[in-house]
Amino acid sequence: MTTTARLLQLLSLLQTGREWPGSLLAARLDVSERTVRRDVERLRDLGYRIAGRVGPAGGYRLEAGSDLPPLLFDADQALAVAIALQTVRGGTPMDEAARRALGTIRQVLPAPLRHRLDAVEVTTVSVPGDGPAPDVSLDAVATVAAAIRARETLRFDYSPRGADGETLDTARPPRRAEPHHLVTAGGRWYVLAWDVDRVDWRVFALDRLRLRTHNGARFAPRPVPGGDAAAFVSGRFRGSESGEWPCRGTVLLRLPARDVLPFAGDGIVVAIGDEACTLEAGSWSWVALAASFARFDAPMEVIGPAELSAACATLAERFADAASRAADGTSALR
């Protein structure tokens, strides 16, 4: 084995995170312990911080340093990282950093791995109504993550709209929250936190949050309701605490199931012959649910419950009123 190959194999062993006795490293590399000591010094010269302890219980351990040294990935790790970098949504500083990192990794991949990576084309899109991903900096993500790890209260101003360049009213008292989790959904970043002043859990959009200081008072972490942060945040988005839609109903659509499935989201589609299907879905209100069924632009029948039928009647009245005003040339805004 050449010296370079041996150094790479030694680095691969040290990156596992455990402490290696010099004798075991020598056996793995099929060299003397004196050669191991020399190789460790070579890695230290390259910028790797390798701690060593003498004695029967001693050994070598790779530690974090002030600079980022070259990393060593096996084939599966390199491919997984490269594919994950492709899924970062566009238009933000984070996306630009991900593209540069992907280019760096691709440049040094062996030809077989590079061909496998090039065969994987990942396109990330927004769901209808999702809009472009807001601008979130890497510094903001890292700062909030550090506060979560250190269990430090955040003090921040919170924009009501999150528009770029918006002037915040800094004369108002800052919000105070105990951050517990960073959550991503649809290309957006959120902070699940306990609001100190409102005495309740809140989900803050990270792009609307302007930190005043992150090293506030220490706090003891609270258990997230239900024990699952992802499920809790998903439930908040749906308007419930359980993670389920608060309103759920079923209709019969005069459309083939194959035409409904691509737009059913988390709904359940069941084919009824070749030209009809049932769709069970949920929403945050009965009227919103009725409107979501109406978007399929097809004759439908309400299977249940009664609240959904009443919501359809409410929508019908509103649409009839809108059509009547359009025909008469009148407007409620005048």
Side-chain angles (χ1 to χ4, degrees), residues 184-263:
T184 61
R188 288 165 164 76
W189 288 81
Y190 300 92
V191 184
L192 173 59
W194 175 262
D195 193 310
V196 175
D197 299 311
R198 289 159 178 78
V199 196
D200 194 10
W201 290 95
R202 291 290 189 270
V203 179
F204 298 101
L206 187 55
D207 61 292
R208 295 168 53 187
L209 188 149
R210 302 294 181 268
L211 290 173
R212 291 198 178 186
T213 178
H214 67 279
N215 54 348
R218 299 290 296 271
F219 65 89
R222 305 168 185 267
V224 175
D228 188 331
F232 181 79
V233 173
S234 178
R236 280 295 175 97
F237 288 162
R238 294 179 173 186
S240 73
E241 299 294 337
S242 64
E244 299 294 333
W245 291 112
C247 303
R248 197 166 185 87
T250 306
V251 297
L252 173 68
L253 294 171
R254 300 297 178 180
L255 282 175
R258 64 178 179 274
D259 294 341
V260 176
L261 274 170
F263 310 101

Side-chain angles (χ1 to χ4, degrees), residues 272-312:
I272 307 295
D274 295 332
E275 300 300 326
C277 67
T278 61
L279 172 59
E280 178 188 347
S283 189
W284 55 87
S285 75
W286 291 110
V287 172
L289 180 59
S292 72
F293 288 136
R295 78 186 192 276
F296 286 97
D297 190 20
M300 71 177 184
E301 302 172 22
V302 175
I303 296 177
E307 291 86 350
L308 179 57
S309 298
C312 289

Side-chain angles (χ1 to χ4, degrees), residues 92-94 130 132-137 140-141 144 156-166 168 182-183 185-191 203-211 237:
T92 69
M94 193 176 300
D130 196 19
D135 189 351
V136 176
S137 70
V141 174
V144 174
F156 56 90
D157 300 303
Y158 197 61
S159 162
R161 293 180 299 277
D164 290 342
E166 181 179 355
L168 296 174
L182 277 171
V183 180
R188 288 165 164 76
W189 288 81
Y190 300 92
V191 184
V203 179
F204 298 101
L206 187 55
D207 61 292
R208 295 168 53 187
L209 188 149
R210 302 294 181 268
L211 290 173
F237 288 162

